[in-house]
Amino acid sequence: MADAARNRRSHPLPCTRLGMRLVIRLGMGLGMLSSVVPASSASAAEPQRSVVVLPTATEGEVSQVAIDRIDESLRRGLAAGGVSTTDGGEGAPCSDAPCLTARATAAGTDTAVQLRLVLEGRDYRMELLATDREGKLLSAAAECAICGFDEAATVVGDEATRLAEKLSAGPKPARLTVGTTPEGATVYLDGEAVGTSPLSFDVPPGEHELRLEKDGHNDKQASYVAVSGVKETLSFELAATIVPPSPKKRIGGWIAVGAGLLPFAGGVALLAIDDRPVPGRCDDPVNVDGAGVCRYQFTTMPVGAALLAVGSASIAAGTVWLIVDRQRRKAAREQAFVVPAGLGLAGRF
């Protein structure tokens, strides 16, 4: 008696036998109503998922009456969760996703459901197996201690409803975060603007094309595969736009250098002869004073200095022009080779 009392206290469905039967009948009535109302409303929104119910795999002395009753509750529970069912016929029980997928393909349904039922004394253990939209294995397990098959059928029906809701649920979107350096770039997903970086947004699973645009910077494009329910971060470096140097500017620099050489040379020559005697005018002693200084000397410093300044300025301007042009051409070559490499950094969580 003490052991029986302890077993009843550990019962996962704590109620009397009479109370349990009332709950079962009430649950069956609500299940029948929910199998009609939600299913019709769900079908209006999107086509029902279809499943093939495979023959129940049993272990232990489970009567055929119990199997039929539990199988009926399983189908009711699946219908209450918004899926349509069909009979799976004969075949060995399935225990993995490939087997379930093969049986569903043979039956022409979206997936297959396998119930495994174990009876030890009066304790039931139930496990439901199915595959989701991506072919991954889904499972639901429950126990019913010191139960009759009616109680076990109710537990199976509840688990079947929860499993059907998972089967009917669509794939979860991926969550993408896009960052750029510098910030403020317009982010396009499949040709449509979604916002300005830094930006986080949901993306349907599948392949997509990203494009980033920012004034004064080169556009960036990248392919992106969104995985259902996965958070991902992409970071991009946007290179500043460099205007290719014009050949005319290069020619202009050389012209400036060449034009400055003539006055520069003339200025140097005039400064060199400043204060020197004029040839042919100082041979006459009359034009030479007592100190030996000729009255006729070149006074070319002002003109020479002016020509030297003009020539130097022209040469300097042309040289700067050529240096800037060379730096621009070098930067353009580096950009042409470096920018297409590495589109960014990605991390999944």
Side-chain angles (χ1 to χ4, degrees), residues 45-63:
E46 61 180 27
Q48 279 187 316
R49 295 269 290 170
S50 59
V51 301
V52 55
V53 180
L54 305 181
T56 300
T58 62
E59 182 180 334
E61 297 181 0
V62 185
S63 68

Side-chain angles (χ1 to χ4, degrees), residues 10-346:
S10 63
H11 197 301
L13 301 173
C15 56
T16 64
R17 301 282 295 184
L18 177 60
M20 176 64 74
R21 291 190 178 91
L22 292 175
V23 171
I24 293 170
R25 291 185 174 85
L26 179 59
M28 291 171 58
L30 292 176
M32 293 176 65
L33 290 175
S34 61
S35 66
V36 175
V37 177
S40 61
S41 60
S43 62
E46 61 180 27
Q48 279 187 316
R49 295 269 290 170
S50 59
V51 301
V52 55
V53 180
L54 305 181
T56 300
T58 62
E59 182 180 334
E61 297 181 0
V62 185
S63 68
Q64 188 61 45
V65 175
I67 294 175
D68 293 342
R69 174 68 185 87
I70 292 173
D71 184 70
E72 178 186 1
S73 183
L74 167 64
R75 295 172 184 272
R76 272 206 196 96
L78 292 172
V83 301
S84 61
T85 61
T86 185
D87 191 359
E90 299 298 328
C94 286
S95 59
D96 54 32
C99 177
L100 293 170
T101 301
R103 298 290 289 275
T105 301
T109 59
D110 297 315
T111 186
V113 173
Q114 176 70 68
L115 171 62
R116 305 179 70 86
L117 186 63
V118 178
L119 176 60
E120 295 179 349
R122 296 186 60 188
D123 298 338
Y124 282 90
R125 294 202 312 272
M126 295 80 73
E127 182 182 26
L128 284 170
L129 301 176
T131 53
D132 61 11
R133 293 175 185 266
E134 299 176 355
K136 297 179 180 179
L137 186 66
L138 297 176
S139 64
E143 295 183 359
C144 185
I146 315 179
C147 287
F149 60 78
D150 281 337
E151 293 93 333
T154 300
V155 175
V156 169
D158 292 341
E159 293 297 330
T161 299
R162 284 190 282 269
L163 180 64
E165 290 172 350
K166 293 180 180 179
L167 294 174
S168 300
K172 295 181 179 179
R175 186 70 176 174
L176 177 62
T177 299
V178 177
T180 61
T181 304
E183 297 179 349
T186 302
V187 180
Y188 293 86
L189 180 68
D190 299 331
E192 296 186 3
V194 293
T196 303
S197 65
L199 177 67
S200 295
F201 55 98
D202 291 335
V203 183
E207 295 184 2
H208 302 276
E209 290 295 325
L210 283 172
R211 188 175 80 255
L212 299 101
E213 296 182 358
K214 182 176 176 62
D215 291 340
H217 294 76
N218 293 332
D219 296 347
K220 184 81 72 174
Q221 291 186 340
S223 297
Y224 164 61
V225 178
V227 180
S228 176
V230 173
K231 295 181 180 180
E232 191 165 2
T233 299
L234 298 178
S235 300
F236 299 90
E237 295 280 346
L238 300 182
T241 302
I242 298 179
V243 179
S246 172
K248 294 181 179 180
K249 294 183 178 180
R250 196 181 321 158
I251 295 173
W254 285 113
I255 291 175
V257 172
L261 288 175
L262 184 60
F264 181 85
V268 171
L270 291 177
L271 290 176
I273 65 174
D274 184 58
D275 287 339
R276 291 190 178 185
V278 178
R281 299 297 299 272
C282 297
D283 295 337
D284 190 347
V286 176
N287 297 328
V288 179
D289 61 12
V293 178
C294 181
R295 294 189 305 171
Y296 297 98
Q297 296 180 347
F298 290 107
T299 55
T300 56
M301 179 178 288
V303 177
L307 290 175
L308 184 63
V310 171
S312 299
S314 180
I315 293 173
T319 302
V320 171
W321 206 334
L322 292 173
I323 292 174
V324 172
D325 177 78
R326 181 178 180 182
Q327 291 176 343
R328 288 181 177 177
R329 285 186 286 115
K330 181 179 178 181
R333 286 195 301 269
E334 290 177 350
Q335 183 181 17
F337 285 101
V338 174
V339 169
L343 290 176
L345 302 174

